Amino acid sequence: MLVIGRDNVRDILDKDVEPAAVCSSGDTVVFETRDCYDDGVVCEERPLGDKEDALENPATGPLYVREALPGDVLKVEILDIIPRSWGVMRSSPVAGVFREDFTGRTARIFSLENGKTVFDEKLTLELDTMIGVIGTAPAGTGITTDTPGSHGGNMDCKKIVRGSVLYLPVSVPGALLSMGDLHGLMGDGEVMICGLETGGEVTVRVTVVKACCLPTPFLYCRGDVMTIQSAETLDEAGDMAAKAMKDFIKRAAGKDDFEAAMLMSLLSNMAVCQVVDPLKTVRAEFPLKVLETYGYHLP
Ligand code: CA
Ligand code: CA
């Protein structure tokens, strides 16, 4: 199987980055990822980390998919995510909702074992490992891996987990897929500025979908389909996600504006992915089985 090692990391998703690997549509590929601190914060005594030139949010890749051409959609099936044996969290005095509560940085290292982590002597938490950064290269100027957008990127959506299927735009030949910033666990919002940051191995199957009109970035997870939109404010991102889903329902179920809007109001759940990145991210969730009632099936 094709493996992209964790030496192949960048802090930008850019059309001019040399591909780390080349594959064909339908291939399965393993991405070995570093954590968001570039694997530099390894002990609680040195919360600033051991690397002077550490990348922020490094993403492994990019992967060039031969058949992918601008205008296509890249279907990324998340077949497996195996986090490494430890994770790290760190407070920040400059970013996140609670930045004014901290004067410096404090780090905590967590052991990740058997799908669980021990928070303290009273509390053990179940992991639900997700991918924070996953995206294709944009057509124009490169986008740093701290920022989400229409290309995907730092969406910090906790629904991008094992078993999910993510649909991303292809804006440049080969698509140039990259990913990193795994979180062993994260709540919607990612309020402190980090999840349970970790590295690991992500196994995906990549398939090029031609003539596909999904509103990317688009996600399937555990029975729901989701539009994921990012903007300067949560209000804008929420409107964008809801409108993208309503337009999709119109096409998928053959509904007019009024019926699609009613279905949205009745069945769609809006959720905040994150509020701490340069753009904020909101998703609109809708049950796939309702669309299947009208004969729709995901590509
Ligand atoms: Ca992130
Ligand atoms: Ca992160």
Side-chain angles (χ1 to χ4, degrees):
M1 201 185 310
L2 189 58
V3 178
I4 305 179
R6 60 177 58 81
D7 288 342
N8 301 283
V9 289
R10 299 287 183 133
D11 61 358
I12 192 163
L13 302 183
D14 187 293
K15 64 182 187 307
D16 295 325
V17 172
E18 192 69 21
V22 178
C23 79
S24 296
S25 177
D27 282 355
T28 300
V29 182
V30 177
F31 287 73
E32 296 180 346
T33 66
R34 301 186 194 180
D35 68 31
C36 75
Y37 307 121
D38 205 14
D39 293 350
V41 183
V42 298
C43 70
E44 297 177 352
E45 291 71 29
R46 296 192 301 282
L48 295 179
D50 292 339
K51 282 185 173 178
E52 280 198 1
D53 54 351
L55 297 177
E56 242 183 80
N57 263 6
T60 299
L63 173 67
Y64 186 102
V65 186
R66 286 189 186 91
E67 294 83 350
L69 292 171
D72 296 339
V73 163
L74 188 68
K75 175 182 180 181
V76 184
E77 296 169 86
I78 316 294
L79 303 179
D80 203 4
I81 305 176
I82 303 173
R84 68 181 182 209
S85 62
W86 62 280
V88 54
M89 297 187 76
R90 188 175 74 176
S91 62
S92 169
V94 295
V97 175
F98 310 127
R99 58 191 178 277
E100 289 166 1
D101 299 333
F102 301 105
T103 51
R105 295 182 188 270
T106 305
R108 174 83 61 86
I109 305 285
F110 294 88
S111 174
L112 312 182
E113 274 176 45
N114 303 317
K116 294 186 170 69
T117 193
V118 174
F119 186 79
D120 60 24
E121 65 277 8
K122 291 190 175 171
L123 185 65
T124 296
L125 299 170
E126 300 246 357
L127 303 182
D128 191 11
T129 306
M130 53 159 279
I131 305 170
V133 172
I134 180 167
T136 50
T141 311
I143 298 177
T144 52
T145 49
D146 63 349
T147 301
S150 58
H151 67 300
N154 195 17
M155 297 182 285
D156 286 314
C157 173
K158 73 173 189 181
K159 301 287 184 170
I160 303 177
V161 294
R162 185 166 79 130
S164 295
V165 183
L166 180 65
Y167 298 85
L168 291 167
V170 178
S171 304
V172 299
L176 298 181
L177 176 71
S178 301
M179 67 186 77
D181 189 29
L182 302 184
H183 301 156
L185 187 64
M186 192 197 88
D188 276 330
E190 201 188 14
V191 285
M192 195 182 78
I193 192 60
C194 62
L196 180 44
E197 304 293 335
T198 191
E201 292 177 15
V202 181
T203 306
V204 298
R205 184 188 298 122
V206 291
T207 307
V208 176
V209 185
K210 302 284 181 184
C212 175
C213 56
L214 292 176
T216 53
F218 191 82
L219 183 68
Y220 168 81
C221 177
R222 298 170 183 163
D224 288 327
V225 289
M226 305 172 193
T227 50
I228 305 170
Q229 292 290 318
S230 302
E232 296 272 337
T233 68
L234 282 177
D235 286 359
E236 290 172 90
D239 284 0
M240 289 161 63
K243 287 175 179 175
M245 182 61 85
K246 182 180 70 90
D247 286 345
F248 171 68
I249 292 170
K250 284 172 66 179
R251 293 195 303 275
K255 294 299 180 189
D256 64 15
D257 268 310
F258 182 49
E259 284 197 311
M262 286 194 290
L263 286 172
M264 282 293 294
S265 243
L266 291 169
L267 298 170
S268 174
N269 292 318
M270 304 285 293
V272 171
C273 293
Q274 59 76 26
V275 297
V276 294
D277 296 333
L279 300 176
K280 320 250 187 269
T281 306
V282 172
R283 66 180 183 271
E285 307 177 349
F286 192 82
L288 177 60
K289 68 175 191 296
V290 171
L291 301 174
E292 290 173 341
T293 304
Y294 296 100
Y296 179 79
H297 295 285
L298 280 174

